[in-house]
Amino acid sequence: MARHTFFSFHYERDVWRAGQVRNSWVTQERVASGFFDKAAWEEVKKKGDAAIKAWIDAELKGTSVTVVLIGAETATRDYVNYEITQSWAKNNGLLGVYIHNLKDAAQKTDTKGANPFSQWTFKRNGVVVSIPTYDWVSDNGYANLGSWIETAANAAGR
């Protein structure tokens, strides 16, 4: 089953890498890819704080999973942290995908960033849960993203 998925990432530093992940469905059947993606992140960058948060809230509507694309500085980004807390509050499935090994527009990789989920303790029904993370390159994200998304959705009861 394809899931409506929100992708969270550090725009300025990782937009090229994020685009590779977000568009990986292009060469697959949409259902097989595991997600539908409608966010137009290029436009949101131009707006102020309140407008950005309103955009994030609107984009999260109708989603069942949030994928945090983890680059070198993702864990320190205020909007990523907002997206994680809002996603958890709406009971979205959560997962992280390290994208530092993907090449950017200059054909360079980046350093591995901190796990953005380590800042919180996540509890579901009073039980502490850990948010799974994967590496796009070494864990073959192209082939596995759909199953990772489905697993996260099921873990959240979605």
Side-chain angles (χ1 to χ4, degrees):
M1 169 183 193
R3 300 283 181 172
H4 292 273
T5 301
F6 181 85
F7 288 87
S8 174
F9 58 95
H10 176 193
Y11 182 87
E12 288 84 9
R13 187 167 184 135
D14 295 322
V15 68
W16 187 271
R17 291 178 184 91
Q20 292 174 66
V21 173
R22 291 165 44 109
N23 292 320
S24 66
W25 66 268
V26 171
T27 58
Q28 302 180 43
E29 294 291 325
R30 255 192 174 211
V31 173
S33 70
F35 60 90
F36 291 94
D37 185 3
K38 64 179 181 172
W41 78 87
E42 296 90 354
E43 293 301 315
V44 76
K45 181 181 172 189
K46 300 173 187 174
K47 300 176 182 171
D49 188 63
I52 292 171
K53 287 182 177 179
W55 178 85
I56 290 167
D57 294 341
E59 289 298 313
L60 282 168
K61 286 182 181 170
T63 64
S64 57
V65 176
T66 297
V67 177
V68 179
L69 301 176
I70 307 168
E73 298 176 357
T74 305
T76 65
R77 308 310 298 174
D78 290 339
Y79 293 125
V80 170
N81 291 328
Y82 180 78
E83 291 160 352
I84 291 170
T85 57
Q86 293 299 101
S87 295
W88 186 258
K90 75 178 288 299
N91 200 39
N92 265 17
L94 283 171
L95 69 129
V97 179
Y98 287 96
I99 59 171
H100 64 286
N101 284 321
L102 284 169
K103 292 181 180 175
D104 64 12
Q107 297 298 302
K108 295 184 181 194
T109 59
D110 207 351
T111 57
K112 185 175 183 178
N115 182 338
F117 302 115
S118 64
Q119 303 175 59
W120 295 285
T121 300
F122 295 94
K123 290 184 180 181
R124 189 172 284 123
N125 300 322
V127 178
V128 174
V129 297
S130 61
I131 306 302
T133 59
Y134 307 92
D135 185 283
W136 181 261
V137 174
S138 64
D139 294 328
N140 194 4
Y142 179 80
N144 293 312
L145 183 59
S147 64
W148 298 340
I149 288 171
E150 189 63 25
T151 299
N154 289 334
R158 302 295 301 255

